[in-house]
Amino acid sequence: MKKPNGVPEWFNLENYSDVPFLSAYEWYVNLYKRMIFYPLKSRYGTESPPCQKIVETIKTNPVIKGGQITPYISKETISPFSNDDVLKLFRQLEENAPPSFTDYIRRSKNSLEIVDANEELELFLQDHFYSTWYYDKAFLLVNLHATDEHIMEDFKNWLIKTRESSSKKSAKKAFTEIDFKEWTEYKILPFIDLKIWGEISGHRLTNSVVGNLLFPEEPEIDTTERIRRTTKPKAERLLNSSIIDAFGVQVRKDLN
């Protein structure tokens, strides 16, 4: 049977037959690898190797299972500041900070006196440091000479203030088997894959076409409305980096 115009030849619902059996961590990995397409597209473009690699994975291996996964997230929410962290943070500053940052570096190298950051640089760091740069991490200094009680109280106050001034909100709920069952029932993964394909190919598949593709055995259901009212909003919510970050924090606890 010929597929509707714009539907890729490689798309087949049978390739998603393992979805009902995904663990929480496997759901996270599959959603993360799709979510990351959008920031990569924004930064590098759809024709970039990172975006094309994601599309190739969708074509050939859309459901990633345990044997194909290398754990790449720590189960700890607190970790030491690593060499890699230092390099990434400095690279972010080089690429995004105002010219005053470069001037600050130059003056600090050529002066034995303390060099204060100017107002422009201070405002930039306050506005961007926690909210947009480093995904789910924030950095702070701890005075280890203080008592445990003093440190814990100061950390609690710092955490409240930082959450209020950034987009990094705490998770409101844990995802459960009920969520996974809904994502399976409403064909979230194949919907996202068709959405990504549309971004790459330029085809904009209608809700009617997508509904017929995803729910071919349910003629009694208004599949167009199901896509519009249920599948699409659920999928788009799961493409939000903050939601996936919160999901990742949840599943870390279960890693061995």
Side-chain angles (χ1 to χ4, degrees):
M1 181 178 176
K2 186 177 180 181
K3 293 182 178 179
N5 184 42
V7 177
E9 286 300 317
W10 51 261
F11 183 81
N12 191 326
L13 276 181
E14 292 181 2
N15 295 334
Y16 299 85
S17 58
D18 284 335
V19 167
F21 311 107
L22 294 178
S23 67
Y25 180 63
E26 289 167 338
W27 267 111
Y28 167 71
V29 170
N30 279 276
L31 289 169
Y32 177 85
K33 286 184 178 293
R34 288 159 168 87
M35 178 275 293
I36 201 66
F37 170 84
Y38 289 92
L40 289 173
K41 172 197 167 188
S42 176
R43 182 162 188 174
Y44 301 113
T46 57
E47 299 301 318
S48 64
C51 286
Q52 291 297 319
K53 184 176 180 180
I54 291 173
V55 174
E56 192 59 32
T57 298
I58 288 171
K59 289 181 180 180
T60 59
N61 188 31
V63 182
I64 304 169
K65 291 285 290 178
Q68 305 154 29
I69 293 173
T70 301
Y72 56 93
I73 55 174
S74 169
K75 64 180 179 180
E76 304 295 338
T77 59
I78 296 177
S79 58
F81 194 51
S82 68
N83 293 341
D84 190 49
D85 291 326
V86 174
L87 292 175
K88 286 181 179 178
L89 182 57
F90 187 75
R91 191 177 301 122
Q92 289 280 13
L93 282 166
E94 284 187 311
E95 294 177 357
N96 298 285
S100 52
F101 173 69
T102 304
D103 181 58
Y104 176 82
I105 296 295
R106 179 185 57 77
R107 288 187 293 120
S108 66
K109 288 181 178 179
N110 298 326
S111 175
L112 296 178
E113 299 178 1
I114 295 176
V115 179
D116 294 324
N118 65 20
E119 185 177 355
E120 179 188 29
L121 182 57
E122 288 180 343
L123 288 174
F124 173 80
L125 294 174
Q126 291 171 12
D127 290 343
H128 296 278
F129 189 78
Y130 299 117
S131 61
T132 60
W133 283 10
Y134 218 75
Y135 300 105
D136 57 351
K137 290 186 179 180
F139 307 120
L140 70 162
L141 302 176
V142 178
N143 185 338
L144 295 178
H145 289 292
T147 64
D148 289 357
E149 293 77 13
H150 191 170
I151 292 172
M152 296 301 292
E153 181 63 25
D154 285 349
F155 178 79
K156 180 179 178 181
N157 293 332
W158 171 87
L159 180 62
I160 292 171
K161 182 178 179 181
T162 302
R163 285 201 190 280
E164 288 177 347
S165 62
S166 75
S167 61
K168 303 301 183 186
K169 307 302 180 184
S170 60
K172 298 301 182 185
K173 55 163 281 187
F175 291 107
T176 68
E177 292 294 333
I178 294 175
D179 296 295
F180 308 151
K181 185 176 180 180
E182 283 189 349
W183 299 346
T184 300
E185 178 183 351
Y186 292 115
K187 305 291 197 300
I188 295 300
L189 289 187
F191 175 87
I192 293 175
D193 291 350
L194 289 172
K195 180 179 173 66
I196 290 175
W197 171 252
E199 299 281 351
I200 289 287
S201 67
H203 291 288
R204 293 295 180 264
L205 302 177
T206 65
N207 288 343
S208 175
V209 169
V210 174
N212 290 332
L213 283 172
L214 300 188
F215 307 103
E217 305 299 326
E218 301 185 42
E220 73 283 0
I221 300 295
D222 187 338
T223 56
T224 301
E225 278 299 285
R226 173 176 282 185
I227 294 296
R228 186 181 70 83
R229 300 183 63 178
T230 308
T231 299
K232 183 177 180 180
K234 285 182 179 292
E236 290 180 345
R237 176 174 180 266
L238 291 170
L239 290 174
N240 183 299
S241 61
S242 294
I243 299 296
I244 298 302
D245 285 346
F247 190 17
V249 171
Q250 173 191 327
V251 300
R252 288 175 192 179
K253 293 180 63 178
D254 300 325
L255 293 179
N256 294 324

